[in-house]
Amino acid sequence: MAEGQSQNTSSGQSLLYLTDEQLRQGIEAMFFAYRGFTADPDRILEGLSYGRAHHRAIHFIHCAPGTTVNNLLAILGVTKQSLNRVLRTLIEDGLVTSHVGRSDKRERHLTLTEAGEALEQQLSDAQRVRMRDAYRKAGPEAVAGFKTVLEAMMDDDMKRAYLALREGR
Amino acid sequence: MAEGQSQNTSSGQSLLYLTDEQLRQGIEAMFFAYRGFTADPDRILEGLSYGRAHHRAIHFIHCAPGTTVNNLLAILGVTKQSLNRVLRTLIEDGLVTSHVGRSDKRERHLTLTEAGEALEQQLSDAQRVRMRDAYRKAGPEAVAGFKTVLEAMMDDDMKRAYLALREGR
DNA sequence: TTGGAATGTCAACAAGACTGACGTATTTTC
DNA sequence: GAAAATACGTCAGTCTTGTTGACATTCCAA
């Protein structure tokens, strides 16, 4: 335990930014920032009897149209029962379509309908407004650092999923 | 809507980092990173019939010993009823003590017991290990940028709460 | 002193996550 | 061709954590 307070390496480079206090600040910053991050879409969703789970599904179906249920499961990191509840309502409400796979008929390929795309736009616009403001305030160097730290914070398989999404576009 | 794809200002500075695609990447990075961020403490908690809500309460009581329920409410952003359920179990289990206020007897002042401090240590150690690794990998400049962007992403009142916590130490 | 505001507690309910079990269609493997 | 594995959907039950509503206590100000 308590490796914490060491502040210099043998190489002499200052490691003040690795103190427990600095790390605690980072932890709290993540907590408060994530709240801001989800606040705007949450406000939109709450009027529609949808939740954050629906938003996540819509987001990733938009990014990877035609993706399968299993695929989505891996990205979202939830159980299929949990995802299924969400998908069922989205399909019933005509925001998502589910097509039997051509080569493998066991698979269901998911796509946003026009209405689904419209909601996706509305949600991601709201989220991007905040992100864009934050990015602009912080400047390009800060944004680069931001992404570097976030990537380093991910689990390895999450990082793979994240990078795969970037490749796919 | 769709202000999106503009890429240069009149000042000529490149705004490539503000494209919709870049913003989308940032959004996904937040999603995946937050999962990593909570994964380690969640694993510890799951054996103890506590959840993330208990972790949050413990964290902020540790940071501001003697804080009131109302105070905690403002920081956590949940209803007092929700917080109360969590606090009740923590008090029953002897991790937190609740003292009636001296000047205002309506208030309850919350403190971690020795056992509470021990669990706090265990949880924040786990979380700090990941943060420290991420920080070390990314380097001090990236970390500075990371914090700048996160602060810019917070709601104003959250930012006030965040900065107040930093002052208080 | 009395009525309103603030603080905190109890009870009931809903969303969304989880596990476990089961059914069906399809594909792969032996 | 039969058996095993895969992909998906569903039912039932539980847990955490959020919500609202009702209520008790305490403080303060008119």
Side-chain angles (χ1 to χ4, degrees):
Chain A
M1 294 254 168
E3 119 181 34
Q5 299 292 353
S6 62
Q7 308 197 337
N8 284 282
T9 57
S10 48
S11 77
Q13 193 193 6
S14 166
L15 293 181
L16 274 172
Y17 74 111
L18 294 178
T19 59
D20 279 4
E21 171 54 25
Q22 287 296 308
L23 293 166
R24 191 174 280 279
Q25 271 183 33
I27 287 168
E28 286 165 7
M30 273 300 279
F31 171 69
F32 289 121
Y34 196 78
R35 283 253 297 279
F37 171 71
T38 56
D40 304 316
D42 280 359
R43 247 187 304 276
I44 296 175
L45 262 344
E46 114 188 287
L48 288 82
S49 73
Y50 291 147
R52 213 173 283 176
H54 301 81
H55 181 193
R56 288 195 286 258
I58 288 174
H59 176 101
F60 287 109
I61 294 175
H62 168 87
C63 287
T67 189
T68 66
V69 174
N70 237 356
N71 225 313
L72 209 50
L73 240 40
I75 290 176
L76 295 176
V78 296
T79 59
K80 62 176 178 176
Q81 295 91 328
S82 209
L83 176 58
N84 192 256
R85 181 171 4 95
V86 169
L87 283 180
R88 191 165 42 206
T89 70
L90 290 176
I91 292 172
E92 278 171 8
D93 296 351
L95 301 180
V96 170
T97 55
S98 165
H99 290 296
V100 172
R102 281 195 354 172
S103 58
D104 188 335
K105 289 175 189 164
R106 291 170 305 179
E107 295 179 337
R108 300 295 134 86
H109 297 275
L110 304 168
T111 324
L112 293 185
T113 64
E114 227 171 285
E117 288 291 350
L119 179 57
E120 199 282 334
Q121 264 296 318
Q122 195 188 347
L123 291 170
S124 68
D125 274 349
Q127 203 157 32
R128 271 198 299 263
V129 164
R130 183 186 292 260
M131 287 294 272
R132 185 178 292 115
D133 288 352
Y135 273 25
R136 213 179 334 235
K137 261 189 232 169
E141 294 83 10
V143 168
F146 167 71
K147 286 193 187 171
T148 305
V149 174
L150 288 189
E151 278 183 41
M153 226 155 82
M154 297 177 196
D155 276 329
D156 285 344
D157 44 342
M158 285 304 101
K159 188 165 175 181
R160 240 177 295 121
Y162 169 70
L163 294 176
L165 281 170
R166 284 170 58 164
E167 297 303 316
R169 296 199 280 257
Chain B
M1 295 267 164
E3 122 179 37
Q5 298 292 353
S6 62
Q7 308 196 339
N8 283 282
T9 56
S10 48
S11 76
Q13 192 192 8
S14 164
L15 293 182
L16 274 173
Y17 74 111
L18 294 178
T19 59
D20 280 3
E21 172 53 25
Q22 288 294 308
L23 293 167
R24 192 174 281 279
Q25 270 184 34
I27 288 168
E28 285 165 8
M30 273 298 280
F31 171 69
F32 289 123
Y34 197 78
R35 284 251 297 276
F37 172 70
T38 56
D40 303 318
D42 280 359
R43 248 187 302 277
I44 296 176
L45 262 344
E46 117 188 283
L48 286 82
S49 74
Y50 291 146
R52 215 173 281 176
H54 300 82
H55 181 193
R56 288 196 284 258
I58 288 173
H59 177 102
F60 287 109
I61 295 174
H62 168 87
C63 288
T67 189
T68 65
V69 174
N70 231 3
N71 224 312
L72 211 49
L73 239 42
I75 292 175
L76 295 176
V78 295
T79 59
K80 58 183 178 174
Q81 295 90 328
S82 198
L83 175 58
N84 190 257
R85 180 170 0 93
V86 169
L87 285 178
R88 191 166 42 208
T89 69
L90 290 175
I91 292 171
E92 279 170 7
D93 295 352
L95 300 180
V96 169
T97 55
S98 163
H99 289 297
V100 172
R102 281 198 352 173
S103 57
D104 188 335
K105 288 177 189 162
R106 291 172 303 180
E107 296 179 338
R108 299 297 132 88
H109 295 275
L110 304 167
T111 325
L112 291 183
T113 65
E114 226 170 289
E117 288 290 352
L119 179 56
E120 198 283 333
Q121 264 294 320
Q122 195 188 349
L123 291 170
S124 66
D125 275 348
Q127 203 157 32
R128 273 197 297 265
V129 164
R130 182 185 293 258
M131 287 294 272
R132 184 178 292 113
D133 287 352
Y135 274 23
R136 216 184 326 241
K137 260 189 234 169
E141 293 83 11
V143 168
F146 167 71
K147 285 193 188 172
T148 305
V149 174
L150 288 189
E151 279 183 41
M153 223 154 82
M154 297 177 195
D155 275 330
D156 286 343
D157 44 343
M158 284 304 101
K159 187 165 177 185
R160 240 177 294 122
Y162 169 71
L163 295 175
L165 281 169
R166 285 170 58 163
E167 297 303 314
R169 296 199 279 257

